[in-house]
Amino acid sequence: LELKRMSVSREHRGRGLARALCREVLGFARARGFGAVVLSTSMVQVAAQRLYEGQGFRRVGSSYPSLLGTLLNFQIFHYRCDLGDGT
C-alpha cells in the first residue's frame, strides 16, 4: 500500500493527529492483508521523516526528482514499513 500526501493543517499540528493518521493507515493496510506500506518524502521534510521513523518506517532509498533536483542535490527519501502477519 502506498501512503501519498498525508498532511495536517498548520493550525492543527502538534496534537498528535499525524501520528494517529499514520497508525490508522498502518492498521487499515494490515487488516486488508498488505505486507508493507511505502511512502516518499523530501529531504527538507525533517518532521515527516521523524514521524515515519517513529512509526516503524525505515528509509530504503533515495532519488532525485529531476535533473534540476540532481543539480541542487535535492533528494526524495523512500520509506517502507513491513507489517508482518499482524500477530
Side-chain angles (χ1 to χ4, degrees), residues 53-70:
E53 289 167 4
Q55 295 296 308
F57 285 83
R58 71 185 193 303
R59 192 182 308 175
V60 294
S62 63
S63 62
Y64 296 98
S66 64
L67 177 58
L68 180 59
T70 303

Side-chain angles (χ1 to χ4, degrees), residues 10-62:
R10 235 179 252 288
E11 64 268 17
H12 296 290
R13 291 181 188 164
R15 300 179 188 176
L17 295 172
R19 203 173 15 241
L21 286 168
C22 194
R23 281 194 307 266
E24 188 67 25
V25 167
L26 293 173
F28 175 92
R30 192 175 282 114
R32 284 156 181 81
F34 288 93
V37 176
V38 297
L39 61 87
S40 299
T41 191
S42 75
M43 62 186 287
V44 299
Q45 300 292 340
V46 177
Q49 293 168 42
R50 278 191 301 239
L51 167 73
Y52 298 133
E53 289 167 4
Q55 295 296 308
F57 285 83
R58 71 185 193 303
R59 192 182 308 175
V60 294
S62 63

